[in-house]
PDB file of all heavy atoms in Angstrom:
ATOM      1  N   LYS L 139     158.932 155.871  23.419  1.00 94.00           N
ATOM      2  CA  LYS L 139     160.154 156.652  23.167  1.00 94.00           C
ATOM      3  C   LYS L 139     161.068 155.900  22.211  1.00 94.00           C
ATOM      4  O   LYS L 139     161.646 156.497  21.290  1.00 94.00           O
ATOM      5  CB  LYS L 139     160.890 156.928  24.477  1.00 94.00           C
ATOM      6  CG  LYS L 139     160.310 158.042  25.296  1.00 94.00           C
ATOM      7  CD  LYS L 139     161.145 158.243  26.551  1.00 94.00           C
ATOM      8  CE  LYS L 139     160.489 159.230  27.483  1.00 94.00           C
ATOM      9  NZ  LYS L 139     161.252 159.383  28.742  1.00 94.00           N
ATOM     10  N   GLN L 140     161.215 154.603  22.417  1.00 94.00           N
ATOM     11  CA  GLN L 140     162.060 153.803  21.523  1.00 94.00           C
ATOM     12  C   GLN L 140     161.490 153.790  20.114  1.00 94.00           C
ATOM     13  O   GLN L 140     162.232 153.872  19.134  1.00 94.00           O
ATOM     14  CB  GLN L 140     162.195 152.379  22.045  1.00 94.00           C
ATOM     15  CG  GLN L 140     163.018 152.258  23.294  1.00 94.00           C
ATOM     16  CD  GLN L 140     163.065 150.826  23.812  1.00 94.00           C
ATOM     17  OE1 GLN L 140     162.979 149.887  23.033  1.00 94.00           O
ATOM     18  NE2 GLN L 140     163.200 150.674  25.108  1.00 94.00           N
ATOM     19  N   LEU L 141     160.173 153.703  20.008  1.00 93.00           N
ATOM     20  CA  LEU L 141     159.528 153.707  18.694  1.00 93.00           C
ATOM     21  C   LEU L 141     159.726 155.051  17.999  1.00 93.00           C
ATOM     22  O   LEU L 141     159.949 155.097  16.785  1.00 93.00           O
ATOM     23  CB  LEU L 141     158.042 153.386  18.832  1.00 93.00           C
ATOM     24  CG  LEU L 141     157.255 153.267  17.526  1.00 93.00           C
ATOM     25  CD1 LEU L 141     157.798 152.105  16.707  1.00 93.00           C
ATOM     26  CD2 LEU L 141     155.784 153.086  17.819  1.00 93.00           C
ATOM     27  N   ASN L 142     159.681 156.133  18.746  1.00 92.00           N
ATOM     28  CA  ASN L 142     159.895 157.451  18.142  1.00 92.00           C
ATOM     29  C   ASN L 142     161.326 157.634  17.647  1.00 92.00           C
ATOM     30  O   ASN L 142     161.562 158.449  16.753  1.00 92.00           O
ATOM     31  CB  ASN L 142     159.535 158.558  19.130  1.00 92.00           C
ATOM     32  CG  ASN L 142     158.039 158.701  19.292  1.00 92.00           C
ATOM     33  OD1 ASN L 142     157.279 158.367  18.390  1.00 92.00           O
ATOM     34  ND2 ASN L 142     157.618 159.175  20.438  1.00 92.00           N
ATOM     35  N   ARG L 143     162.259 156.890  18.199  1.00 92.00           N
ATOM     36  CA  ARG L 143     163.651 156.969  17.757  1.00 92.00           C
ATOM     37  C   ARG L 143     163.912 156.179  16.474  1.00 92.00           C
ATOM     38  O   ARG L 143     164.965 156.313  15.855  1.00 92.00           O
ATOM     39  CB  ARG L 143     164.598 156.492  18.849  1.00 92.00           C
ATOM     40  CG  ARG L 143     164.751 157.492  19.979  1.00 92.00           C
ATOM     41  CD  ARG L 143     165.902 157.124  20.879  1.00 92.00           C
ATOM     42  NE  ARG L 143     165.650 155.895  21.615  1.00 92.00           N
ATOM     43  CZ  ARG L 143     165.352 155.842  22.909  1.00 92.00           C
ATOM     44  NH1 ARG L 143     165.283 156.949  23.604  1.00 92.00           N
ATOM     45  NH2 ARG L 143     165.144 154.685  23.493  1.00 92.00           N
ATOM     46  N   VAL L 144     162.957 155.354  16.074  1.00 90.00           N
ATOM     47  CA  VAL L 144     163.111 154.579  14.837  1.00 90.00           C
ATOM     48  C   VAL L 144     163.007 155.541  13.656  1.00 90.00           C
ATOM     49  O   VAL L 144     162.034 156.281  13.521  1.00 90.00           O
ATOM     50  CB  VAL L 144     162.022 153.481  14.737  1.00 90.00           C
ATOM     51  CG1 VAL L 144     162.057 152.810  13.377  1.00 90.00           C
ATOM     52  CG2 VAL L 144     162.196 152.459  15.839  1.00 90.00           C
ATOM     53  N   THR L 145     164.023 155.527  12.826  1.00 87.00           N
ATOM     54  CA  THR L 145     164.023 156.414  11.657  1.00 87.00           C
ATOM     55  C   THR L 145     163.401 155.708  10.458  1.00 87.00           C
ATOM     56  O   THR L 145     163.491 154.482  10.324  1.00 87.00           O
ATOM     57  CB  THR L 145     165.449 156.855  11.300  1.00 87.00           C
ATOM     58  OG1 THR L 145     166.207 155.704  10.969  1.00 87.00           O
ATOM     59  CG2 THR L 145     166.093 157.601  12.455  1.00 87.00           C
ATOM     60  N   LEU L 146     162.802 156.492   9.592  1.00 83.00           N
ATOM     61  CA  LEU L 146     162.120 155.945   8.416  1.00 83.00           C
ATOM     62  C   LEU L 146     162.986 156.018   7.162  1.00 83.00           C
ATOM     63  O   LEU L 146     162.526 155.693   6.077  1.00 83.00           O
ATOM     64  CB  LEU L 146     160.809 156.704   8.187  1.00 83.00           C
ATOM     65  CG  LEU L 146     159.809 156.673   9.347  1.00 83.00           C
ATOM     66  CD1 LEU L 146     158.623 157.565   9.058  1.00 83.00           C
ATOM     67  CD2 LEU L 146     159.352 155.258   9.618  1.00 83.00           C
ATOM     68  N   GLN L 147     164.224 156.437   7.281  1.00 85.00           N
ATOM     69  CA  GLN L 147     165.082 156.616   6.112  1.00 85.00           C
ATOM     70  C   GLN L 147     165.382 155.292   5.422  1.00 85.00           C
ATOM     71  O   GLN L 147     165.287 155.176   4.207  1.00 85.00           O
ATOM     72  CB  GLN L 147     166.372 157.321   6.517  1.00 85.00           C
ATOM     73  CG  GLN L 147     166.127 158.735   6.958  1.00 85.00           C
ATOM     74  CD  GLN L 147     167.372 159.372   7.559  1.00 85.00           C
ATOM     75  OE1 GLN L 147     168.368 158.703   7.794  1.00 85.00           O
ATOM     76  NE2 GLN L 147     167.301 160.659   7.806  1.00 85.00           N
ATOM     77  N   ASN L 148     165.733 154.290   6.180  1.00 83.00           N
ATOM     78  CA  ASN L 148     166.004 152.972   5.619  1.00 83.00           C
ATOM     79  C   ASN L 148     164.855 152.058   6.042  1.00 83.00           C
ATOM     80  O   ASN L 148     164.770 151.656   7.195  1.00 83.00           O
ATOM     81  CB  ASN L 148     167.350 152.443   6.125  1.00 83.00           C
ATOM     82  CG  ASN L 148     167.713 151.108   5.525  1.00 83.00           C
ATOM     83  OD1 ASN L 148     166.892 150.444   4.902  1.00 83.00           O
ATOM     84  ND2 ASN L 148     168.950 150.697   5.731  1.00 83.00           N
ATOM     85  N   SER L 149     163.991 151.741   5.106  1.00 81.00           N
ATOM     86  CA  SER L 149     162.786 150.982   5.461  1.00 81.00           C
ATOM     87  C   SER L 149     163.110 149.591   6.002  1.00 81.00           C
ATOM     88  O   SER L 149     162.440 149.113   6.914  1.00 81.00           O
ATOM     89  CB  SER L 149     161.832 150.890   4.274  1.00 81.00           C
ATOM     90  OG  SER L 149     162.464 150.264   3.184  1.00 81.00           O
ATOM     91  N   GLN L 150     164.146 148.962   5.478  1.00 83.00           N
ATOM     92  CA  GLN L 150     164.512 147.624   5.956  1.00 83.00           C
ATOM     93  C   GLN L 150     164.907 147.671   7.430  1.00 83.00           C
ATOM     94  O   GLN L 150     164.469 146.836   8.227  1.00 83.00           O
ATOM     95  CB  GLN L 150     165.671 147.066   5.110  1.00 83.00           C
ATOM     96  CG  GLN L 150     165.957 145.616   5.364  1.00 83.00           C
ATOM     97  CD  GLN L 150     164.815 144.733   4.903  1.00 83.00           C
ATOM     98  OE1 GLN L 150     164.045 145.088   4.016  1.00 83.00           O
ATOM     99  NE2 GLN L 150     164.689 143.585   5.517  1.00 83.00           N
ATOM    100  N   THR L 151     165.715 148.645   7.798  1.00 86.00           N
ATOM    101  CA  THR L 151     166.118 148.814   9.194  1.00 86.00           C
ATOM    102  C   THR L 151     164.913 149.184  10.048  1.00 86.00           C
ATOM    103  O   THR L 151     164.780 148.710  11.178  1.00 86.00           O
ATOM    104  CB  THR L 151     167.203 149.908   9.305  1.00 86.00           C
ATOM    105  OG1 THR L 151     168.275 149.565   8.443  1.00 86.00           O
ATOM    106  CG2 THR L 151     167.704 150.039  10.719  1.00 86.00           C
ATOM    107  N   CYS L 152     164.043 149.992   9.501  1.00 88.00           N
ATOM    108  CA  CYS L 152     162.827 150.393  10.219  1.00 88.00           C
ATOM    109  C   CYS L 152     161.965 149.177  10.545  1.00 88.00           C
ATOM    110  O   CYS L 152     161.512 149.024  11.675  1.00 88.00           O
ATOM    111  CB  CYS L 152     162.049 151.396   9.370  1.00 88.00           C
ATOM    112  SG  CYS L 152     160.474 151.894  10.063  1.00 88.00           S
ATOM    113  N   TYR L 153     161.738 148.295   9.559  1.00 87.00           N
ATOM    114  CA  TYR L 153     160.938 147.088   9.802  1.00 87.00           C
ATOM    115  C   TYR L 153     161.570 146.220  10.880  1.00 87.00           C
ATOM    116  O   TYR L 153     160.890 145.715  11.772  1.00 87.00           O
ATOM    117  CB  TYR L 153     160.789 146.253   8.527  1.00 87.00           C
ATOM    118  CG  TYR L 153     160.202 146.970   7.352  1.00 87.00           C
ATOM    119  CD1 TYR L 153     160.626 146.680   6.065  1.00 87.00           C
ATOM    120  CD2 TYR L 153     159.222 147.942   7.508  1.00 87.00           C
ATOM    121  CE1 TYR L 153     160.090 147.325   4.970  1.00 87.00           C
ATOM    122  CE2 TYR L 153     158.691 148.600   6.414  1.00 87.00           C
ATOM    123  CZ  TYR L 153     159.130 148.289   5.147  1.00 87.00           C
ATOM    124  OH  TYR L 153     158.610 148.940   4.063  1.00 87.00           O
TER     125      TYR L 153
END
Side-chain angles (χ1 to χ4, degrees):
K139 281 181 187 177
Q140 290 177 30
L141 184 63
N142 286 334
R143 286 192 293 254
V144 172
T145 62
L146 301 174
Q147 293 171 351
N148 183 348
S149 59
Q150 190 67 25
T151 305
C152 176
Y153 304 145

